[in-house]
Amino acid sequence: MAELKDILEIYDNPTKKGFEYYEVSADIRTLPEIVVSGFDAQAEILAMMFQDNGGKDDWGTYYGPMLSGTRTDKETGETEPAYNPDYRLLTKEQFLYWEKRAHETNNPFLKMRYLGLIYDFKKKVIGEDADFQRVKYPYVEATIRVVLEGYYHHEVEGFFYTERAMQCSVALHNQTLITNAKHALFVLDNKTKEDDKHPGLWCRTFLLMLNYQSVFTEQEIHQLVDEAESRFQRINDNVQKYGKNTDEYAHLLKEQAEVLCQYYDKCGDATNVERLLNQVCVAINLAADVRGGMWLHGMLNQMQVLYRKYHLEKKANQLYVDIQRTGNDALSEMQKIEIPISLDRKLIERYINDALSGTNDEVLQRFIVSNIPNLAIEKQRQLEESKQSVLLDLITTTTYDEMGNPINHVGVGKDAEEQKFMHGMYQRMTMTSLFLRMIIEKMMEKQIFTFESVMQAFADSVVIHPRQKLLFERGIRAYFDKDYIVACHLLIPQFESAIRTLVASLGGEILKPDQNPNDGNRYMALDGLLESEVLKVVFPQDVLTYYKNLFTNQNGWNLRNQTCHGLVSADSFNATMADRIIHAFMVLSKLEAKQE
């Protein structure tokens, strides 16, 4: 019967190179079940399941899980992270087994794995630090040997292992290991220093030096900088030769410029940073005819971000002219996506009849309540949409203004999920605006929803300040006259006034001191007012989130800010926009008047 040692002998051979860890576990799984289920075989399989350089986000470690997700408690409904494998389930016996195997094997690739797991997890799991002589030092030695003798399967793995060796050597303050790790780095660098096509490789050498610059000599640093400058010049020569026919060299030049800029920025050398970025802009403009306005627009925006990153504000501002010039080109290249929707006439009629059943007051009440987005339902819809389009959900969405300028990146940073939720809520409101308009038109036909009925709803309302009543009245009149430009421009600021009046009537703050208190106070804007604690007593969270999305959230409809800053074109002031503003006011109309 085949035994575990038969498999291990194959991989323990120091001549066995270029294999993946999963190959070891796969071969072990071919053994008889009685062998595979044993402690030793299970410890071997488990050791091979962890992922190199994959644990930073989940555990703050070097090794990470093969799979990660969530697990839901069937009784409580609460979710928690779930991992396979999970380092928290490791045992002292497994650490002892891996340490024994590390000193038995003659293959540094296996030795690196066994010792690496002990180094990474032993203290986190059982509170005992890994031994320096038996684990830490030999682990780094094995890692360096893996790089120098080419045991890795893919070229990029060599850089991962070198970075790990450097990280551990510096943490251990061991000069011998640091010197050997640098030697491994320069061996890899020698393989890539003439490579101009694969920035994923040559960038890593330079960035590793930047991250651990204090342990490199001036000579070593200058060697890597000179190599990077030589590559930049070679790529730039190709830009001049072929840049009008391809964008390949513009991208390569940008990659090399970005790593060099990090070095020069550390040195405080703004002149060289500007030189590199300027040359990249030239390369981008050369390739514009090949790639078109949308590509050029996106690349110029990226360059503006880079100029700002390195405090070259004047150069960043100068790019606005080119960005605005290419904005219309970018928009003209975008294609409208039309999605036909089949509407069942009988269902639509039933929907309208249900909405208009009952007394006038009941119809208006139903209209107000049913068109407030329900947070629980919105979250469920967002989840369903993300499941239906998993890859699309992972891609950052860029929103543009009507001139083609990029405004927001949706789905980035620590608030990524909140950004996507608010953007999704806005999109769903715009898509269902057709049904909102249907109901409003029917209510108008039946004289349920009229100028007079709206004004009557606010006759005794605390939210309309007497001094603002004429402006509010003019805005409502314009809405019913279908003069949506006037209606929206009048009603949006009046909504902010109404919220301010409401907050004040409830005893909340509507002023905040200037940066210099001696300068006095200033009014809180709508976004600040909607965060007022007093409103949380009056409104459920559904309404407050609705108002934030509609008027102030940059990932939502954001009508207040878009309008006040003059970013909305004339044709966007339409029934779709006005209907929502009117509905927002109608929610306010249900507040009971209170005398102070």
Side-chain angles (χ1 to χ4, degrees), residues 57-284:
D57 293 336
D58 290 316
W59 301 332
T61 56
Y62 173 73
Y63 292 101
M66 182 181 295
L67 298 170
S68 61
T70 57
R71 176 174 43 238
T72 303
D73 188 304
K74 291 182 179 179
E75 294 182 0
T76 65
E78 295 181 355
T79 60
E80 62 177 3
Y83 307 103
N84 183 29
D86 191 334
Y87 82 89
R88 295 170 296 185
L89 302 179
L90 297 178
T91 65
K92 187 173 184 178
E93 290 72 25
Q94 289 165 336
F95 289 128
L96 290 172
Y97 175 82
W98 290 336
E99 187 172 332
K100 176 177 76 72
R101 280 286 297 133
H103 294 286
E104 289 175 352
T105 184
N106 293 312
N107 191 304
F109 195 59
L110 287 183
K111 185 186 292 287
M112 176 179 71
R113 171 50 65 101
Y114 297 130
L115 294 176
L117 293 174
I118 302 170
Y119 188 121
D120 218 14
F121 295 132
K122 186 176 181 181
K123 188 170 184 178
K124 291 174 75 70
V125 176
I126 61 177
E128 296 179 12
D129 202 6
D131 185 80
F132 178 81
Q133 294 293 341
R134 288 185 59 80
V135 176
K136 293 184 176 181
Y137 193 94
Y139 166 58
V140 181
E141 274 193 324
T143 305
I144 293 170
R145 186 181 167 192
V146 164
V147 177
L148 293 176
E149 298 180 21
Y151 276 86
Y152 48 83
H153 188 66
H154 299 290
E155 198 71 33
V156 72
E157 292 174 342
F159 290 96
F160 288 155
Y161 300 144
T162 304
E163 184 172 4
R164 179 62 173 164
M166 183 66 75
Q167 179 189 45
C168 294
S169 301
V170 171
L172 295 171
H173 305 288
N174 189 285
Q175 190 56 51
T176 300
L177 292 178
I178 290 172
T179 300
N180 292 340
K182 286 198 297 181
H183 174 59
L185 177 66
F186 279 102
V187 167
L188 293 178
D189 176 64
N190 195 53
K191 294 179 179 179
T192 60
K193 66 182 179 181
E194 299 299 327
D195 176 12
D196 297 342
K197 296 286 188 180
H198 303 96
L201 297 179
W202 43 258
C203 279
R204 291 182 180 278
T205 306
F206 199 87
L207 291 174
L208 187 54
M209 178 274 288
L210 282 179
N211 291 337
Y212 298 97
Q213 191 171 336
S214 61
V215 303
F216 284 81
T217 66
E218 287 295 320
Q219 183 180 355
E220 291 167 339
I221 293 170
H222 287 150
Q223 177 185 333
L224 293 173
V225 172
D226 289 345
E227 288 175 8
E229 283 284 9
S230 295
R231 182 181 292 109
F232 185 87
Q233 189 56 53
R234 291 196 304 271
I235 297 172
N236 195 40
D237 289 343
N238 284 326
V239 166
Q240 304 308 316
K241 292 178 184 177
Y242 313 112
K244 290 186 177 182
N245 301 316
T246 176
D247 65 313
E248 176 186 5
Y249 299 107
H251 285 287
L252 290 171
L253 197 70
K254 181 172 176 286
E255 292 277 4
Q256 183 62 87
E258 286 191 63
V259 293
L260 272 168
C261 282
Q262 292 182 52
Y263 167 74
Y264 287 126
D265 184 55
K266 272 191 171 184
C267 299
D269 187 350
T271 301
N272 269 318
V273 171
E274 186 171 349
R275 167 182 63 86
L276 294 166
L277 296 183
N278 288 347
Q279 197 58 56
V280 175
C281 282
V282 172
I284 288 170

Side-chain angles (χ1 to χ4, degrees), residues 270-400:
T271 301
N272 269 318
V273 171
E274 186 171 349
R275 167 182 63 86
L276 294 166
L277 296 183
N278 288 347
Q279 197 58 56
V280 175
C281 282
V282 172
I284 288 170
N285 280 290
L286 278 175
D289 290 340
V290 179
R291 293 304 308 274
M294 189 179 296
W295 176 86
L296 177 60
H297 190 68
M299 293 297 288
L300 290 177
N301 275 288
Q302 291 180 36
M303 294 307 299
Q304 189 177 59
V305 170
L306 284 175
Y307 278 120
R308 285 176 177 158
K309 177 181 178 180
Y310 296 111
H311 313 294
L312 298 169
E313 298 297 339
K314 184 177 179 180
K315 296 295 295 187
N317 291 336
Q318 287 173 358
L319 278 181
Y320 268 124
V321 177
D322 292 329
I323 290 171
Q324 290 180 344
R325 175 176 52 82
T326 58
N328 289 330
D329 293 338
L331 288 176
S332 66
E333 291 176 10
M334 292 183 183
Q335 295 182 350
K336 286 186 177 181
I337 300 176
E338 295 184 359
I339 304 174
I341 301 175
S342 298
L343 299 177
D344 188 311
R345 185 168 181 172
K346 291 183 178 179
L347 287 176
I348 294 296
E349 289 176 354
R350 188 187 307 167
Y351 167 73
I352 294 173
N353 290 335
D354 289 344
L356 297 178
S357 62
T359 66
N360 288 1
D361 286 343
E362 288 172 341
V363 172
L364 283 172
Q365 180 73 11
R366 190 180 302 114
F367 162 72
I368 292 169
V369 174
S370 64
N371 286 291
I372 299 171
N374 182 292
L375 282 185
I377 295 174
E378 289 295 323
K379 289 175 182 177
Q380 183 60 34
R381 287 172 178 166
Q382 187 76 19
L383 180 62
E384 290 171 358
E385 288 173 9
S386 64
K387 287 181 178 179
Q388 290 170 1
S389 306
V390 178
L391 292 178
L392 193 60
D393 186 60
L394 296 174
I395 299 172
T396 300
T397 299
T398 301
T399 60
Y400 290 81

